[in-house]
Amino acid sequence: MELLDKARELAIYTAYNTNVDAIVYLDGKTVQKLIDEFGAEAVRRKMDEYPRQIEEPIDFVARLVHALKTGKPMAVPLVNEELHSWFDSRFKYDVERMGGQAGIIANLLANLDFRKVLVYTPHLAKKQAEMFVPRPNLFYPVVEDGRLVFKHPREAYREGDPIKVNRIFEFRAGRTFKLGEERIEVPFSGRFIVSARFDSIRIYTEESLKKFLPIIGETVDGAILSGYQGIKLRYSDGKDANYYLKQAKEDIMLLKRHRNLKVHLEFASIQNRELRKKVIYNLFPLVDSVGMDESEIAHVLNALGYPKLSERIFTYNRIEDTVLGGKILIDEMNLEVLQIHTIYYIMYITHADNPLSEEELRKSLEMATTLAAARASLGDIRSPEDVKVGMKVSYNERGEYVKLRFEEAKRRLRTREYKVVIIPTRLVKNPVSTVGLGDTISAGAFTSYLAMLKEKGEL
Ligand code: AMP
């Protein structure tokens, strides 16, 4: 793929979030053992309470059984750090792999043979470091004797750093177990995520490295930043979300100090509305590019004061509403480019003066969906060769319909001041894994966008 070859000449910086995804393939027997341990009656009572976070093992068991009963994928934060050992004593993890957007994107770009990939994550325990692929183009910035040096992340770990482990319980339809007298059969396959939200995990750049951010900004062509959903409203030491968002703003400005490099922010859903709003208002105006999925744009519009439009996107998933929402977002936040990915299509919205033509923007999205299709087919992309698999995946069967509805929407909405392009996704029927596909789309879209800007002398 010619465009991928161009993108591979780039150097990219990515930060902040990494974690270890520990995966358990659940069987009925394991679930039964948990229920028997705590007693069906107690589990049922807890299920009625519906704990919003996990403080005790029974909170976990109750929410897990609830998820299994409904077959709905769910994620519940684990806030009690002491439960690590409880989980580790009860479960054997079938797979451990890199999680977190910055970690997933760093490994992806390194495997694709990008010229240089710099990854920064504020906590780098040995186990976390080992999740990085052993590629010579992957570096982690370290300050030694007041000087900036780059090492492979596996050589840069720090003993004693906290580690964030997200436990992912994958379940299959048809598994059965008993809750007292009630026989439960899992109706759909899915996953239950216990996401670690500990006080010790922070999103920031350590003080000694901060002053080198302008140099890092000069070294790379673009930065992909993510993980802001991990910021908490308050911490035990008195620091709060405002403190960390101020730091985050400084980081972006420091990266851009010597050179106006392009910054992409990958947005992930933030449950708390107050925090969501803070992230949008503080950070969107400072970045050039934002990526998100359809439900996230609905959340964002709600936070910006468009509850009706947000509700419509949630309920009807109409392309027309997404285009309208995208126009509002790039205008109010003055973004250079907004990328929205959904299961059936991917879209770019820019202002009309964007240096790339609509045809070029479309090519960039094409690369994005091809990478995602390759990852969905193979579970991971280990080399540029792997991308060929994605090119063989056909567009989803709603592709033609999507294009039609899009042309209709364009006629109805005023789009002359914008460039709006859309492509149907290449959709894999039985994906090996769906983790990280959104991140893959965004990394593919942003880097190919940069490659074309660079070719035109616009970067
Ligand atoms: P996110 O919601 O951010 O995790 O992004 C998921 C995206 O991955 C979707 O919007 C799709 O574009 C893409 N995707 C999901 N499932 C598949 C699949 N089976 N094959 C290819 N792409 C997929």
Side-chain angles (χ1 to χ4, degrees), residues 293 341-343 376 425-428 431 437-438 441:
D293 70 20
H341 45 269
T342 75
I343 190 87
T425 51
R426 296 179 185 268
L427 208 58
V428 178
L437 291 182
I441 289 178

Side-chain angles (χ1 to χ4, degrees), residues 165-176:
V165 179
N166 284 348
R167 295 175 175 86
I168 303 181
F169 297 87
E170 303 243 19
F171 51 81
R172 296 258 149 250
R175 295 288 147 91
T176 58

Side-chain angles (χ1 to χ4, degrees), residues 411-426:
R411 276 198 295 278
R412 220 163 324 146
L413 296 166
R414 279 176 42 140
T415 51
R416 235 188 321 156
E417 290 143 46
Y418 307 87
K419 285 178 184 163
V420 189
V421 301
I422 195 168
I423 61 145
T425 51
R426 296 179 185 268

Side-chain angles (χ1 to χ4, degrees), residues 72 80 116 164 179 190 195 280 325 340 371 379 400:
K72 284 209 180 112
N80 181 355
K116 196 153 57 172
K164 178 172 154 86
L179 181 62
S195 60
I280 298 166
I340 300 168
L371 290 186
E400 285 310 309

